[in-house]
Amino acid sequence: MYLVNHDSNLISIIIATYNRASYILETLCSIQNQTYKKWECIIIDDGSTDNTEIIVRDFIKDKPRFRFETRPVTIEKGANACRNYGYEKSIGDFIKFFDSDDIMLPNHLEVLVSEIVKSDLDFAVADCQNFDENGLRERPYEIDRGSAVMTPKNFAYFITGWLTNDLLVKRNIADCLKFAENIRDQASEYQYNIKLLFLTTNGKLIDEILTHRRIHEDGFVVKAHKDKLWFDQMNAELKIVTLKYLEEIANKELLIWFLKGHIQLNFKIACLRIWPESVFLATRELIKYQGLIKGALYPATLVCAFSLAKGYNLIKYIRS
């Protein structure tokens, strides 16, 4: 039995959504059915072109704890921008970001907030399990949650990890965090949680599945399996964006690791005769961290890869 004061500790649940008419009602019902009752749920629609807004407004019309807004035109498009906007609208003592096609198990909020209050933590992390039309599948992170060590480096290297849905964090910590905007909306929790672990490791991995994560044709997992080029482009972007996001807080070793990963993926993309992204930015970062020679060689090596699918030894030197 989890004991927590339902008269305090408001949880703000923030949901960014886009064209999720087929799934969002089930998500909202799972929130409505939580055993922990002191919450607000803020739904930010990213300009859906289906009937997501109609479905949501009809569901919440007699449920004052839910609020719905369409992303203002002054806010950048994208799930992360919507999450940041929703956070600005929230007032909770604890913050919970959740995806609009997944399912909260009934005790999700109760377990997380109780663990934070009981142990005086800054955050707590649940486990989750994938599911599709055939039933339950694998866990996204198959780690030993009892022995896993939470550090920025371990999260960056995927030695430990969790998804957006899994985290509950105190507001005073969330005030120091922000989702990276203007990027592909995949792995959106990556930079956020690495920075979280630079700010505090006073958290706990809870060995209990509290979310079912939906796998479907429009989702990240299926798209990643179908489109390998897109997956490589997304990961290349992820690494260079994370480098810039963490530049003022991370150590040089970790920043160079992100840079090397970005460079390797961009070389792979260029070998397919597709010009990669962020070449100027990566060149500038290479000069800063690895010197002028490697910085000058990098774009030349990409040209060689793009034209002739060659240059492996050069890229190996640049990454050394």
Side-chain angles (χ1 to χ4, degrees):
M1 173 69 68
Y2 288 88
L3 299 176
V4 66
N5 184 358
H6 287 234
D7 294 326
S8 60
N9 301 318
L10 176 68
I11 298 174
S12 292
I13 306 164
I14 300 156
I15 297 176
T17 189
Y18 177 74
N19 286 355
R20 287 292 183 255
S22 299
Y23 309 117
I24 194 168
L25 186 59
E26 194 173 356
T27 299
L28 299 182
C29 285
S30 74
I31 293 170
Q32 180 70 18
N33 293 331
Q34 288 296 296
T35 58
Y36 187 82
K37 300 300 184 184
K38 186 146 191 193
W39 51 262
E40 61 171 1
C41 181
I42 301 167
I43 306 146
I44 308 297
D45 185 89
D46 195 24
S48 293
T49 57
D50 64 3
N51 61 333
T52 295
E53 180 173 353
I54 295 171
I55 288 172
V56 173
R57 288 196 182 280
D58 184 63
F59 178 79
I60 71 173
K61 61 186 178 184
D62 57 348
K63 299 176 179 65
R65 284 184 293 176
F66 289 96
R67 292 157 53 196
F68 178 88
E69 284 193 38
T70 299
R71 171 185 52 80
V73 295
T74 55
I75 302 298
E76 293 285 346
K77 184 171 175 57
N80 281 355
C82 289
R83 291 181 180 112
N84 290 333
Y85 178 71
Y87 180 71
E88 293 173 2
K89 298 288 184 178
S90 70
I91 60 171
D93 308 293
F94 298 92
I95 304 301
K96 159 65 62 179
F97 294 99
F98 205 77
D99 290 339
S100 61
D101 49 2
D102 296 333
I103 307 299
M104 271 192 196
L105 299 189
N107 61 338
H108 182 116
L109 298 179
E110 184 99 34
V111 171
L112 287 171
V113 72
S114 297
E115 192 63 52
I116 291 175
V117 171
K118 178 184 71 175
S119 303
D120 193 23
L121 303 173
D122 291 324
F123 66 93
V125 179
D127 201 356
C128 68
Q129 188 169 7
N130 293 333
F131 78 101
D132 60 18
E133 67 276 8
N134 297 315
L136 293 176
R137 295 174 43 174
E138 72 285 349
R139 294 156 58 206
Y141 284 93
E142 296 287 349
I143 60 175
D144 183 347
R145 301 174 77 83
S147 63
V149 178
M150 294 187 293
T151 67
K153 182 177 179 179
N154 282 354
F155 198 100
Y157 286 26
F158 298 100
I159 295 170
T160 187
W162 54 85
L163 302 179
T164 304
N165 293 335
D166 300 330
L167 176 71
L168 184 70
V169 61
K170 283 183 175 178
R171 185 175 198 92
N172 67 310
I173 303 298
D175 280 342
C176 303
L177 297 165
K178 189 176 182 179
F179 285 95
E181 299 181 7
N182 299 311
I183 63 172
R184 293 172 177 86
D185 290 329
Q186 310 304 332
S188 54
E189 72 279 353
Y190 189 68
Q191 302 94 3
Y192 189 97
N193 286 311
I194 296 172
K195 186 171 183 180
L196 165 67
L197 292 169
F198 272 114
L199 296 174
T200 177
T201 55
N202 181 31
K204 182 177 180 179
L205 290 169
I206 298 171
D207 191 15
E208 186 171 351
I209 292 170
L210 297 177
T211 300
H212 287 166
R213 178 198 187 207
R214 191 187 303 272
I215 305 299
H216 56 86
E217 287 296 318
D218 296 328
F220 166 71
V221 174
V222 172
K223 186 174 182 180
H225 282 95
K226 286 184 175 181
D227 190 342
K228 299 299 184 183
L229 171 61
W230 173 85
F231 187 68
D232 286 341
Q233 290 172 323
M234 185 272 292
N235 279 314
E237 180 188 59
L238 183 70
K239 290 184 184 299
I240 195 70
V241 167
T242 305
L243 184 157
K244 296 305 295 179
Y245 181 91
L246 298 173
E247 204 157 25
E248 294 183 0
I249 195 170
N251 57 63
K252 183 177 178 181
E253 177 191 6
L254 185 57
L255 295 175
I256 291 174
W257 181 82
F258 289 125
L259 182 58
K260 288 180 177 180
H262 171 79
I263 288 167
Q264 183 65 46
L265 286 165
N266 266 6
F267 176 76
K268 179 181 177 182
I269 292 165
C271 285
L272 298 174
R273 288 185 165 79
I274 297 168
W275 190 249
E277 302 169 358
S278 303
V279 176
F280 177 78
L281 175 58
T283 300
R284 191 176 65 191
E285 297 300 311
L286 261 173
I287 292 171
K288 181 192 300 184
Y289 293 110
Q290 300 284 71
L292 182 60
I293 293 175
K294 290 185 177 182
L297 278 174
Y298 173 60
T301 304
L302 290 181
V303 171
C304 183
F306 183 82
S307 304
L308 304 170
K310 293 183 178 181
Y312 174 78
N313 286 335
L314 281 173
I315 210 73
K316 185 177 178 181
Y317 165 72
I318 292 168
R319 294 184 70 251
S320 64

